């Protein structure tokens, strides 16, 4: 049960980061050229990568919306599944497992769809990587690589 709590915190951070990155993207694009304020980036290679270009705002928003919805459903269903397993209710556990897997399937499909829409090559690659990572997620809580998800989310935050 502690593993579910840790996963819930990690996935909630992932979803929260997705929402915040859209706000940061607006700040980054609002920084005037030559600015040294919070939205400024340097051309020296010492800072964070520049935000993705092209249709990135729309693609990022759609990917972040899909992430938020899927993560909420996934975590809720995993909790229900684990509770049902603890209560020896195999029918409820199986139904929750199927709903959790359906949330993952929808999330992966949404990320792939946004990857095909993305005109920025870095964003396209990142969304494809995220979709691949989501594809290996399942309902085995011990097998979820929270660090990899966090690393990919950090990259998405930088681009979006």
């Amino acid at each position: 049960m502690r593993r579910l709590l840790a996963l819930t915190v990690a996935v909630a951070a992932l979803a929260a980061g997705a929402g915040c990155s859209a706000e940061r993207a607006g700040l980054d694009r609002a920084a005037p050229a030559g600015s040294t304020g919070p939205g400024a980036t340097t051309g020296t290679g010492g800072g964070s990568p520049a935000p993705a270009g092209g249709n990135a705002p729309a693609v990022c928003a759609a990917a972040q919306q899909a992430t938020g919805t899927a993560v909420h459903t996934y975590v809720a269903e995993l909790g229900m599944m684990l509770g049902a397993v603890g209560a020896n209710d195999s029918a409820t556990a199986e139904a929750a497992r199927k709903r959790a897997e359906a949330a993952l399937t929808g999330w992966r499909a949404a990320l792939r769809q946004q990857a095909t829409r993305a005109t920025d090559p870095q964003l396209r690659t990142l969304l494809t990587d995220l979709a691949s990572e989501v594809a290996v997620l399942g309902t085995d809580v011990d097998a979820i690589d929270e660090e990899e998800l966090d690393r990919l989310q950090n990259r998405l935050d930088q681009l979006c």
Side-chain angles (χ1 to χ4, degrees):
M1 196 54 126
R2 278 187 272 159
R3 181 75 174 164
L4 176 62
L5 181 58
L7 172 66
T8 302
V9 169
V11 173
L14 176 80
C20 293
S21 65
E23 295 169 14
R24 279 196 305 273
L27 290 173
D28 288 345
R29 285 171 181 71
S35 171
T36 57
T41 58
T42 63
T44 62
S48 297
N55 64 348
V59 169
C60 287
Q64 291 161 346
Q65 175 64 37
T67 296
T69 301
V71 164
H72 181 269
T73 301
Y74 179 67
V75 170
E77 295 303 333
L78 279 181
M80 185 175 289
M81 182 187 81
L82 291 175
V85 166
N88 291 323
D89 183 352
S90 60
T92 299
E94 179 62 18
R97 182 190 65 76
K98 287 181 180 178
R99 289 189 300 268
E101 288 177 349
L104 291 176
T105 299
W107 186 11
R108 182 180 65 242
L111 290 172
R112 287 183 177 156
Q113 178 185 27
Q114 296 312 311
T116 61
R117 287 185 55 217
T119 56
D120 184 280
Q122 289 182 9
L123 181 58
R124 185 178 325 115
T125 299
L126 178 59
L127 290 172
T128 301
D129 290 349
L130 277 168
S132 296
E133 189 65 25
V134 169
V136 299
L137 289 176
T139 55
D140 179 2
V141 177
D142 292 327
I144 295 172
D145 187 348
E146 297 144 15
E147 290 179 15
E148 178 64 11
L149 282 173
D150 188 47
R151 184 185 67 75
L152 291 171
Q153 181 60 45
N154 286 336
R155 284 180 51 207
L156 183 62
D157 288 349
Q158 290 174 347
L159 290 175
C160 289

